[in-house]
Amino acid sequence: MLVQQAGQCIGRDWIPCECMRREPIPDGRGESLVLLLVYVDDILLFSSSDKEIDGVQRKLTEQFECKSLGEARYYLGMHIERDTERGWLKLHQGQYINTFAEKYSLQEEREVVTPLPSEFKLIKAAEGEGVESEDQRQFQSMVGSLLYAAVHTRPDISFAVGQLARVVQNPTEEQYGAAERVVRYLKSYPTVGVQYSASAQLRQKGVEVLKRRGSSSEKERCSFPILLMPHGLLSMRIHHQLVDTSAWWEVGL
């Protein structure tokens, strides 16, 4: 409702579902783009034109009781750092990571350099073989915290968290320890994040990994379609598919 009201008070040329407006710049150089993003009672404004930002802020204050807090530096757990001269913007979740590391009493644990150990295997526990119910709830909370970081600024833990998310209903002691290790990994490098360049062009890449399941010919194929800007990740999805490689060997012979 707030987004619709904001779009209506600013002007009819806004796209209601996205709260986005384009209009020609007077000197004829092209179109200016203004983005208005709303989360509850917090609003972010984006534009390449300071004049456009000032105009939107003025119309919002005429309709709603609100005030400008200046350039955005922290939003929804994300730190926003920018260098306008070099043309880059960086997002990281250092404070968020330190907060939940302290919540799970892992702030003093020693550092690790990888999210998961190389020998880690995802084996679902049989009923009654998992951790106690209290530890299960803690595990689910931990994985939820990790997912929020993975989705926004830490794609380097996406695979590890995706693995752990598949066993939240009945985690084992080993898997509980693996979740703690991912938290320790983030705590080791809390300000690592994603960085975007002003001269960026969208690129799409695909990565595919085959992982053997035990000693059988069955393997798990993990594919990663990735949408990139230079130095920054925009979107990534992980797909899992079981394949039988014995047929490939037969064809090869």
Side-chain angles (χ1 to χ4, degrees), residues 56-96:
V56 171
Q57 287 181 344
R58 184 177 62 256
K59 292 182 179 180
L60 285 173
T61 53
E62 291 172 356
Q63 184 73 19
F64 304 100
E65 183 179 346
C66 57
K67 63 178 180 179
S68 172
L69 300 178
E71 288 190 0
R73 301 188 182 279
Y74 188 79
Y75 191 71
L76 300 182
M78 289 179 284
H79 294 267
I80 305 171
E81 300 176 357
R82 63 173 63 83
D83 186 326
T84 54
E85 293 184 0
R86 297 182 180 179
W88 58 258
L89 181 145
K90 178 183 176 181
L91 302 176
H92 72 83
Q93 293 172 277
Q95 182 176 328
Y96 171 75

Side-chain angles (χ1 to χ4, degrees), residues 92-146:
H92 72 83
Q93 293 172 277
Q95 182 176 328
Y96 171 75
I97 289 169
N98 290 329
T99 299
F100 75 69
E102 183 176 355
K103 174 183 176 181
Y104 302 120
S105 302
L106 297 170
Q107 69 274 20
E108 300 299 332
E109 294 291 327
R110 65 183 180 87
E111 298 181 354
V112 292
V113 297
T114 59
L116 290 177
S118 58
E119 66 274 10
F120 177 79
K121 295 181 180 180
L122 185 71
I123 301 175
K124 294 186 177 181
E127 187 174 352
E129 294 183 356
V131 297
E132 298 293 332
S133 58
E134 183 177 346
D135 288 338
Q136 179 185 347
R137 289 192 293 271
Q138 179 88 330
F139 179 85
Q140 292 170 345
S141 174
M142 204 182 307
V143 171
S145 299
L146 292 171

Side-chain angles (χ1 to χ4, degrees), residues 22-52:
R22 291 180 183 271
E23 69 176 29
I25 297 177
D27 63 7
R29 288 181 297 175
E31 292 184 333
S32 64
L33 174 65
V34 182
L35 297 176
L36 183 149
L37 307 180
V38 179
Y39 180 80
V40 189
D41 59 352
D42 291 327
I43 296 177
L44 281 182
L45 284 172
F46 299 85
S47 180
S48 57
S49 168
D50 291 336
K51 182 179 179 181
E52 285 292 321

Side-chain angles (χ1 to χ4, degrees), residues 103-216:
K103 174 183 176 181
Y104 302 120
S105 302
L106 297 170
Q107 69 274 20
E108 300 299 332
E109 294 291 327
R110 65 183 180 87
E111 298 181 354
V112 292
V113 297
T114 59
L116 290 177
S118 58
E119 66 274 10
F120 177 79
K121 295 181 180 180
L122 185 71
I123 301 175
K124 294 186 177 181
E127 187 174 352
E129 294 183 356
V131 297
E132 298 293 332
S133 58
E134 183 177 346
D135 288 338
Q136 179 185 347
R137 289 192 293 271
Q138 179 88 330
F139 179 85
Q140 292 170 345
S141 174
M142 204 182 307
V143 171
S145 299
L146 292 171
L147 277 170
Y148 188 74
V151 167
H152 290 88
T153 64
R154 297 303 296 262
D156 52 329
I157 66 169
S158 293
F159 178 78
V161 179
Q163 292 282 294
L164 297 171
R166 299 165 69 182
V167 294
V168 291
Q169 295 302 321
N170 190 27
T172 64
E173 290 287 350
E174 180 188 10
Q175 291 155 359
Y176 188 95
E180 289 187 324
R181 180 190 172 99
V182 181
V183 176
R184 289 164 51 203
Y185 169 75
L186 289 181
K187 183 65 175 67
S188 303
Y189 312 97
T191 59
V192 170
V194 290
Q195 182 172 310
Y196 302 99
S197 169
S199 59
Q201 293 183 350
L202 293 178
R203 296 182 293 126
Q204 185 168 359
K205 284 189 175 183
V207 179
E208 186 169 279
V209 178
L210 284 179
K211 181 180 179 182
R212 183 177 297 278
R213 294 169 62 89
S215 59
S216 68

